[in-house]
Amino acid sequence: MSDILKRGKYTLEFKEESIRQVLAGASIGSVASSLGIPKGSLGNWVRQHQRGQLGGQSPVSATPVSADQMEISRLRAEVAQLRMERDIGKKSRGVLCAGHAAKYAWIQKMKGRWPIRTMCRVLSVSESGFYGWQRSGKAPSSRVSDQRILVHIRAIHREVEKEYGWPRMYHELRGHGLRVGKERVRLIMQAYGIRGKTKRRYVVTTDSEHALPVAPNLVQRQFTASAPDQIWCGDITYIPTEEGWLYLAAVIDLFGRQVVGWSLKPHMQTELVKDALMMASLRRRPAAGLIFHSDRGSQYCSHEFQETLRALQIRASMSRKGDCWDNSPIESFWARLKLACLEGQKFRSHRQATATIMNWISFYNHRRLHSSLGYISPMEYEKRWHASQYKIAA
């Protein structure tokens, strides 16, 4: 991407990805900063897009933006968003444990500095509650009608691609500031035929028929960690598209089930899993001694990948041959991803599949509620852990 930026040449695909982030709700300033492009240029592209006049170099005459480069761009935007949420958390310490009215008053005071939506999410209050407080000068009534609950349920149901059943829906509604009981949520969803999707089984892609060295199983199905970046697990899955197979390698931190690295390519060679590992390493900077657990696939057993682990001072661990239960956390992750992204979906191109998968991974890390984490997201779980360590140190 650096060569493209130095020459000032932006492909149409790069412009469209930048515009998509703005249309998704990010500010022009934050997107421009995260992608390293002039704010004025991005503003012009958005206006041209709205007028249907967006032009650009063809992929033949310009250097194309690869899927990995798009991932890096999205990662920069994600870091900018995390920094903003961190700053909001620091500034709002005085009202974090206060009631809704105090939080609404703080948001009112700071609304010129940060987006209202982001502040509401960090403070665990709803946007609708804040605007209701603005109009009336007090927090809304605690009693919520069935119809209002139904509106929220249907909106969340669409947002999560029909993935949530009533237990997660209940916790999501509570996170929106709605005081409602579990049984009430279950009955409303049942009455209106709103159901969560059920998991399917998918074909295994592991090639363990090779003569390469195999690492011992250091995890032994103990899929818990006391702190971030102690145990990672990795695997490969495939995505069908009309352009051919697209392969996804992911790395998950077992502490909070956060996806810390990933790579998408039209092949499943060693480069695929190595790039996912390098992304995780660059993002997290783990201490020496981290365990990386995988199956016995030829990509993970390859000399190139094992040399990379040794260079990063990471210990290799591998499951038993043909035993998916030895790497069940990432198998569960694949089931959730394919349930959300592939069920009833046909991708016309690798690019369309890449955009959909990257959006879902961002949703998974930042928003999706995990029952094993107490119905909060991986990012929120880790953020609370760091906050508790800060209090202990203080």
Side-chain angles (χ1 to χ4, degrees), residues 239 248 332-342 357 360-361:
I239 313 296
L248 169 64
S332 178
F333 171 76
W334 291 146
R336 294 189 185 105
L337 181 145
K338 293 188 174 183
L339 182 69
C341 296
L342 270 69
I357 292 166
W360 189 83
I361 289 176

Side-chain angles (χ1 to χ4, degrees), residues 203-264:
V203 179
V204 176
T205 58
T206 305
D207 172 21
S208 57
E209 298 298 330
H210 55 74
L212 295 167
V214 175
N217 189 339
L218 303 179
V219 176
Q220 295 293 333
R221 298 190 184 180
Q222 299 300 310
F223 302 121
T224 57
S226 58
D229 304 319
Q230 292 183 340
I231 308 173
W232 290 351
C233 62
D235 196 14
I236 304 171
T237 194
Y238 66 93
I239 313 296
T241 79
E242 292 181 10
E243 285 187 344
W245 294 108
L246 184 66
Y247 297 93
L248 169 64
V251 178
I252 292 179
D253 180 8
L254 289 183
F255 172 70
R257 300 301 196 264
Q258 182 182 163
V259 181
V260 294
W262 62 90
S263 179
L264 282 152

